[in-house]
């Protein structure tokens, strides 16, 4: 497949990935023959746009870091403005195993982190003191515990 055709197919895939992953995920297509960015979706994640000049040596670093399948998955990175990102790279090789293109994904995980923090706070359990621990098979444990909590709250509200 000619490079122009390959990049056209990959651009359509990158566009679909960006639509699927949403506005918090940047998807970038790089032409490894020319060592340049040829497509970007959701560039607001990193502040980049078409015409952004990537340091050519970064391609060699990514190629060196890739696993045997040509992937670098889920590492922590950051934008130029210090925004924490989760990044992945996918190397596309030709039939001779020559790297021809690179798809890069940068996710702003801030909203996911906030959702996780909310869920963690909602399911967090307060450890019981020894006085609060149930005794044996106490069938009235919940009622007794509720009474203790309410009585404690009332006691705290009394004027001193």
């Amino acid at each position: 497949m000619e490079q122009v055709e390959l990049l056209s197919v990959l651009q359509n895939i990158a566009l679909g990935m960006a639509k699927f992953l949403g506005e918090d995920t940047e998807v970038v297509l790089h032409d490894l023959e020319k060592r340049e960015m040829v497509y970007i979706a959701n560039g607001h994640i990193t502040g980049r746009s078409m015409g952004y000049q990537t340091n050519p040596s970064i391609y060699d670093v990514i190629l060196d870091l890739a696993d045997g399948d040509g992937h670098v998955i889920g590492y922590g990175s950051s934008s130029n403005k210090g925004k924490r990102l989760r990044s992945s790279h996918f190397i596309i090789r030709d039939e001779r195993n020559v790297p021809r293109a690179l798809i890069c994904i940068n996710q702003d995980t801030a909203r996911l982190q906030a959702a996780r923090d909310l869920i963690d706070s909602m399911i967090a359990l307060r450890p019981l003191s020894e006085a609060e621990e149930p005794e044996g098979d106490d069938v009235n444990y919940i009622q007794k515990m509720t009474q203790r909590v309410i009585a404690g709250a009332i006691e705290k509200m009394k004027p001193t």
Side-chain angles (χ1 to χ4, degrees):
M1 181 180 290
E2 294 294 320
Q3 187 72 357
V4 172
E5 293 172 292
L6 175 64
L7 292 174
S8 178
V9 169
L10 292 174
Q11 182 174 330
N12 195 37
I13 291 170
L15 172 62
M17 291 170 71
K19 287 179 179 179
F20 175 74
L21 295 169
E23 65 185 27
D24 290 335
T25 303
E26 175 186 82
V27 181
V28 182
L29 174 61
H30 298 268
D31 179 340
L32 290 180
E33 287 185 359
K34 294 182 179 177
R35 291 189 169 233
E36 66 183 18
M37 179 191 306
V38 294
Y39 175 77
I40 186 167
N42 297 325
H44 64 276
I45 299 297
T46 60
R48 297 184 297 173
S49 61
M50 286 304 300
Y52 177 85
Q53 294 297 311
T54 301
N55 182 336
S57 65
I58 197 71
Y59 298 115
D60 295 324
V61 172
I62 293 168
L63 292 170
D64 289 342
L65 290 175
D67 63 20
D69 297 320
H71 305 141
V72 182
I73 305 294
Y75 69 92
S77 65
S78 59
S79 71
N80 291 341
K81 294 184 179 180
K83 185 186 305 182
R84 292 180 39 92
L85 305 172
R86 182 174 186 263
S87 298
S88 298
H89 305 289
F90 306 91
I91 300 166
I92 292 82
R93 297 176 183 272
D94 66 14
E95 62 280 351
R96 297 178 318 250
N97 205 34
V98 174
R100 303 262 309 273
L102 180 67
I103 293 178
C104 301
I105 297 175
N106 297 300
Q107 295 175 305
D108 178 352
T109 59
R111 292 195 312 170
L112 290 172
Q113 182 66 46
R116 185 173 80 180
D117 292 347
L118 175 62
I119 290 169
D120 286 347
S121 73
M122 293 177 74
I123 63 173
L125 301 175
R126 179 181 62 84
L128 297 176
S129 68
E130 283 187 36
E132 296 172 324
E133 286 288 334
E135 298 173 13
D137 292 331
D138 188 352
V139 294
N140 294 319
Y141 169 72
I142 297 295
Q143 289 81 4
K144 289 178 183 175
M145 177 59 71
T146 303
Q147 288 171 348
R148 282 189 211 148
V149 170
I150 292 170
I154 293 170
E155 192 63 35
K156 288 179 183 177
M157 294 176 68
K158 285 184 179 178
T160 54

